[in-house]
Structures are given as C-alpha cells and as structure tokens.
Amino acid sequence: MASKKASSPSKKKLAATVERLEAKLERADAKAARWKQQAKQHESALASSQARIEKLSDELTDKRAAPQPTATRRAKQPSPTQGTSTRTKVSTGTRSSGPDASWTLSQLRAEARSRGLTGLSGKKKAEVLAALT
C-alpha cells in the first residue's frame, strides 16, 4: 500500500503538468489564429496597394507619353518703381543652359516645382541649386 500512496502524488503532478501544457497549447493556438487573421489583412492591404501603384504607374506612363504643351510664360516685367537691375535682366534671359548660381531663389524654386520636386521651400539657395543639378 505504501507504493500506491507514493505513486498518487506523481500522478497528480503529471496531471497538473498536462493541464498546464494543454492551457499553454490553447494560448499558442489562439495566438496563431490571430496572426493568421492579421496576415490575411496585411495581404489584402498589400493587394490593394499594389493595384493602386499599378494604376498610378499607368497614369504616369500615359502622361509622359502625351505631348506636352509648350509653355508660353512671359518673363516677369519689373514694376515702374523698381527700375532695371542686373538680376531682372538675368531673369528675362533664356533658360536653355539650366539652373546655375545666377538664378534667383524664386526662379530655382519655380524650376524645382516644374520638375515635380517638393520639400524645398525652407532650403537655402545652394541646397535648391544642388537638388536641381
């Protein structure tokens, strides 16, 4: 009979261990189910993002392929009170050579806008010029 009493606590310990492990397994299964659900949501978001990227790429390709109208912008005329200065004369010249240090900051920013560059409004002249070249 002594052996039965000795085995009884062992069975209780084993039963408690099995219970703990089963509870742990249930928690792990619940986590796995949540992760699978999140993975499905992420896959759905990925698919919609890829579709949007494809659509925007197509639009960009179409816009690049379309003939661009030539810009007929007039050079800004100085007001009568300003007179003519060297800076004004430079701004009315042609822009065929590209931006350089002789351009004003506002001209450089306008060129950056026309090229689609953003985030240059707080930059110094040298930084805007570097972004354009």
Side-chain angles (χ1 to χ4, degrees):
M1 288 216 175
S3 68
K4 285 186 180 179
K5 286 184 179 179
S7 67
S8 180
S10 297
K11 286 182 181 180
K12 286 182 182 179
K13 283 183 180 179
L14 286 175
T17 302
V18 167
E19 241 179 81
R20 269 195 327 265
L21 290 174
E22 286 175 345
K24 204 172 188 180
L25 180 62
E26 283 182 35
R27 288 192 303 269
D29 285 342
K31 274 186 183 179
R34 281 194 308 270
W35 289 343
K36 286 178 183 178
Q37 184 180 9
Q38 288 175 349
K40 285 181 183 179
Q41 291 172 347
H42 290 302
E43 286 173 354
S44 173
L46 174 65
S48 65
S49 293
Q50 286 176 333
R52 178 143 169 79
I53 288 171
E54 184 67 28
K55 179 183 173 187
L56 292 173
S57 272
D58 291 344
E59 287 179 16
L60 182 61
T61 303
D62 292 344
K63 289 196 184 226
R64 284 183 177 164
Q68 297 292 325
T70 55
T72 56
R73 293 177 58 175
R74 293 185 199 171
K76 184 178 177 182
Q77 297 296 323
S79 66
T81 59
Q82 284 180 335
T84 57
S85 68
T86 313
R87 181 174 277 174
T88 306
K89 289 179 184 176
V90 170
S91 68
T92 59
T94 61
R95 292 186 180 184
S96 61
S97 64
D100 59 18
S102 66
W103 286 28
T104 64
L105 183 56
S106 61
Q107 289 173 321
L108 292 170
R109 287 185 177 147
E111 181 67 19
R113 276 192 302 274
S114 71
R115 292 184 186 183
L117 299 175
T118 59
L120 299 174
S121 63
K123 303 291 183 193
K124 294 181 180 180
K125 182 177 179 178
E127 294 170 324
V128 177
L129 185 58
L132 288 170
T133 57

